[in-house]
Amino acid sequence: MPTTTPERARATAAPRLEPRERERLERAFRVPRARFLLGLPVAAVLLIWSFVGAGFDFAKLGEGAVNMGDFLSRLFPPTWDKFGTIVALLIETLQMAIVGSVLGAVLSLIVAFGASSNIAPKWLYYPTRWIMNVIRSLPDLVFALMFVSAVGLGPFAGILAMTIGSIGSIGKVFAEAMESVDRGPVTAMQAVGASRRQVVQYGILPQAAPLLVSYTLLLFEGNVRGATILGMVGAGGIGLELTTAMKMYDYGHLSAIVICIIVLVTVIDQASAVIRRKIT
């Protein structure tokens, strides 16, 4: 019996594409349609209009490069005499991000059920979407200022601001993740008389779970960075120390804070990337 060569084995095992499927894949590499080419001048005009209206000036950017270089030169060498304070505030920032991310993810998931068109009825879907749009239109700093005036200075106000802000941003993404699941299992469960809870529990959430976890990790990463900004208005974290160092022109201390923030964010990003690869 003749021995099958590796090339022949791979050719035999390789699946053959149907003509329609081959045509669909080849279509993705074709030259864009005429209407797309007509839209390019419109996009260019819109971009130029935005540059002019926003006052973007490349010449001024070049002139300011000298000042930016002077500012960066003042950051070195960093001073580490307040390293203990930096670490303590970074830990507080991390704790804020953890609590805010957990609360925000849980509330966002609850709200996402009402904002998913394949789960919620229309009388619930549209008001929920509208509420998320309102929350998303306001920056977290506005919520931070509101909660600082309500509960006082400290990390508690920052946690509340991150939690509410998460509903507008990550809640929308959660809803879209649940809307994009395969309709096959959902339709099959509905055909055999499954309740809405069973459809959500066994047909939608298992499919959307990897995306939900991935977006939650993304939320946590963003909250770690966002917590440094919220501290500038007194909502806890290292932001207040960062602002104080800038106002006092303590560039060495400012440099040490920035370096520590970069290290913390990098470690969290790498850890999140590892977890994300495991679940996707």
Side-chain angles (χ1 to χ4, degrees), residues 6-57:
E7 291 79 7
R8 182 178 297 177
R10 284 194 295 268
T12 304
R16 291 189 175 183
L17 291 176
E18 296 291 334
R20 289 184 179 180
E21 182 67 15
R22 182 181 296 276
E23 182 183 359
R24 185 186 68 83
L25 293 175
E26 290 177 350
R27 191 182 303 124
F29 300 95
R30 289 181 180 176
V31 177
R33 297 179 179 179
R35 61 185 182 183
F36 178 77
L37 294 177
L38 291 175
L40 289 178
V42 177
V45 171
L46 180 62
L47 182 61
I48 295 173
W49 173 75
S50 301
F51 268 104
V52 174
F56 191 89
D57 190 349

Side-chain angles (χ1 to χ4, degrees), residues 38-155:
L38 291 175
L40 289 178
V42 177
V45 171
L46 180 62
L47 182 61
I48 295 173
W49 173 75
S50 301
F51 268 104
V52 174
F56 191 89
D57 190 349
F58 285 102
K60 186 178 293 185
L61 178 62
E63 295 173 359
V66 178
N67 296 329
M68 288 188 291
D70 180 63
F71 177 81
L72 292 176
S73 65
R74 296 179 185 179
L75 295 178
F76 295 95
T79 57
W80 302 98
D81 53 324
K82 299 180 181 178
F83 181 70
T85 302
I86 296 174
V87 171
L89 291 174
L90 279 178
I91 292 175
E92 183 179 271
T93 302
L94 182 61
Q95 292 169 336
M96 289 172 56
I98 292 174
V99 177
S101 299
V102 171
L103 295 179
V106 172
L107 292 178
S108 297
L109 183 61
I110 295 173
V111 173
F113 288 136
S116 301
S117 58
N118 57 342
I119 298 177
K122 290 184 178 180
W123 62 265
L124 179 62
Y125 172 79
Y126 289 106
T128 305
R129 284 279 181 168
W130 182 80
I131 291 173
M132 290 199 306
N133 290 338
V134 172
I135 295 175
R136 192 166 54 252
S137 64
L138 298 176
D140 288 350
L141 280 176
V142 174
F143 292 115
L145 289 171
M146 180 181 68
F147 286 118
V148 164
S149 63
V151 301
L153 299 172

Side-chain angles (χ1 to χ4, degrees), residues 126-206:
Y126 289 106
T128 305
R129 284 279 181 168
W130 182 80
I131 291 173
M132 290 199 306
N133 290 338
V134 172
I135 295 175
R136 192 166 54 252
S137 64
L138 298 176
D140 288 350
L141 280 176
V142 174
F143 292 115
L145 289 171
M146 180 181 68
F147 286 118
V148 164
S149 63
V151 301
L153 299 172
F156 184 45
I159 291 173
L160 294 176
M162 284 189 289
T163 301
I164 299 301
S166 301
I167 296 176
S169 57
I170 211 70
K172 179 178 183 292
V173 180
F174 280 1
E176 292 177 351
M178 289 189 283
E179 287 177 341
S180 63
V181 299
D182 185 6
R183 291 289 302 174
V186 176
T187 304
M189 294 184 66
Q190 291 173 341
V192 298
S195 64
R196 189 183 297 272
R197 180 192 62 81
Q198 291 172 327
V199 170
V200 173
Q201 182 176 357
Y202 299 106
I204 294 178
L205 283 181

